[in-house]
Amino acid sequence: MPPMDGSARPYRLVVAPAPELAEQLAEQVLAERLASRPQPLGLATGATMEPFYAALSRRVAALSEEQQQRLRQTWCSFNLDEYVGLGPEDPESFTATMARLLRTPLGLDHACVHCPDGLADDPVAEARRYRLSLAAAGGLGLQLLGLGRNGHVGFNEPPCGPEAGTRLIDLTAATREQNAFAFAGQASAVPGQAITLGLAEILSARQLVLLVTGAAKAEILARALRQPPTADVPASWLQRHPDLLVLADPAAAAGLL
Ligand code: GLP
């Protein structure tokens, strides 16, 4: 959709109710996965993404058996991040979350749904392994992104420049507070570190889709997209990407229109 005010924005913006955005994203991801020679898909977790995974599961269940099989045979996704210290047996880990929201409903092999290993003895080496394994798979095609309330994407916490690579990172108090909902409301139970894809790898994806919903994200979304890129708002570097699609519900888009 072209900007309604006629300005030349460096991104495309679609404003629609959240359930419609989830359907649109599911349609786009499915078309991408069923295309010939699909590139690795970059996936995100977080509450914002859950309706998308539900929509994707519904759409896949409605496909023919042949298409479902093709999807399973060619699936390759890389998640943005994982908490250090949590493994597949921990329901709050992103690996377990992806099993619940994606792997089990779609019948995917765990080897093609990549997440950093949060239980690796050496998380720094694990971050390197993850980066190399993504590069060996061909790099990212379509990358889905949510937005942290402090402007992080993946777990690229502020301050963060566009050259930051895949790495071990300390989570900020704000992020641990934001994600406490998944840990019985206890921010202190949220791990203090994570392995995240870097902004460098994210910005190298062929296309970025940023999904943002709810009034609580309106201010940070406007800061990310309306101000010059700054390390204080890591998501603001997304403006430099040549193919950025922003999907926002009316509440989140309030500061953009
Ligand atoms: C999390 C994840 C991000 C996610 C963001 C938004 O911490 N690391 O990948 O996009 O924060 O989360 P939510 O959708 O729950 O607001």
Side-chain angles (χ1 to χ4, degrees):
M1 187 174 89
M4 282 185 281
D5 56 10
S7 65
R9 289 196 189 105
Y11 55 89
R12 287 177 297 137
L13 173 67
V14 171
V15 181
E20 281 178 34
L21 298 176
E23 292 295 339
Q24 178 175 332
L25 192 50
E27 185 179 337
Q28 187 178 351
V29 165
L30 211 47
E32 170 102 2
R33 293 316 306 166
L34 289 170
S36 56
R37 298 167 175 266
Q39 275 179 282
L41 170 68
L43 292 176
T45 47
T48 312
M49 289 289 160
E50 299 225 359
F52 152 70
Y53 289 111
L56 186 65
S57 295
R58 281 196 300 274
R59 281 171 185 261
V60 170
L63 292 177
S64 70
E65 186 48 44
E66 196 185 345
Q67 281 178 310
Q68 290 192 32
Q69 213 173 6
R70 180 168 151 63
L71 205 60
R72 286 193 284 266
Q73 280 163 354
T74 59
W75 191 272
C76 178
S77 59
F78 282 78
N79 267 75
L80 281 167
D81 41 27
E82 180 58 287
Y83 291 116
V84 168
L86 298 190
E89 306 300 320
D90 296 295
E92 305 83 8
S93 70
F94 295 153
T95 305
T97 303
M98 292 315 293
R100 174 171 60 85
L101 296 176
L102 182 81
R103 211 153 56 65
T104 304
L106 271 60
L108 302 173
D109 193 286
H110 81 275
C112 60
V113 181
H114 302 264
C115 271
D117 179 0
L119 295 179
D121 289 339
D122 181 347
V124 172
E126 171 57 11
R128 189 169 54 241
R129 183 203 65 79
Y130 197 63
R131 175 174 57 78
L132 293 175
S133 135
L134 171 59
L140 293 161
L142 176 62
Q143 172 68 61
L144 311 191
L145 297 166
L147 179 64
R149 269 179 244 156
N150 65 353
H152 73 215
V153 283
F155 271 137
N156 289 280
E157 298 279 53
C160 182
E163 73 296 329
T166 298
R167 66 202 182 286
L168 174 67
I169 191 149
D170 292 333
L171 298 179
T172 60
T175 290
R176 295 176 77 196
E177 201 61 57
Q178 180 187 328
N179 288 3
F181 72 90
F183 294 81
Q186 300 283 318
S188 59
V190 179
Q193 290 187 308
I195 294 168
T196 184
L197 280 187
L199 271 179
E201 285 76 23
I202 292 170
L203 291 171
S204 300
R206 197 190 73 241
Q207 186 187 5
L208 302 179
V209 181
L210 179 65
L211 176 66
V212 190
T213 57
K217 301 274 179 75
E219 192 190 332
I220 192 66
L221 182 61
R223 283 182 67 202
L225 297 178
R226 303 292 295 262
Q227 294 177 9
T230 163
D232 293 340
V233 183
S236 64
W237 299 109
L238 304 182
Q239 293 176 38
R240 289 196 175 173
H241 195 279
D243 191 352
L244 169 63
L245 171 65
V246 179
L247 304 179
D249 71 354
L256 294 177
L257 301 173

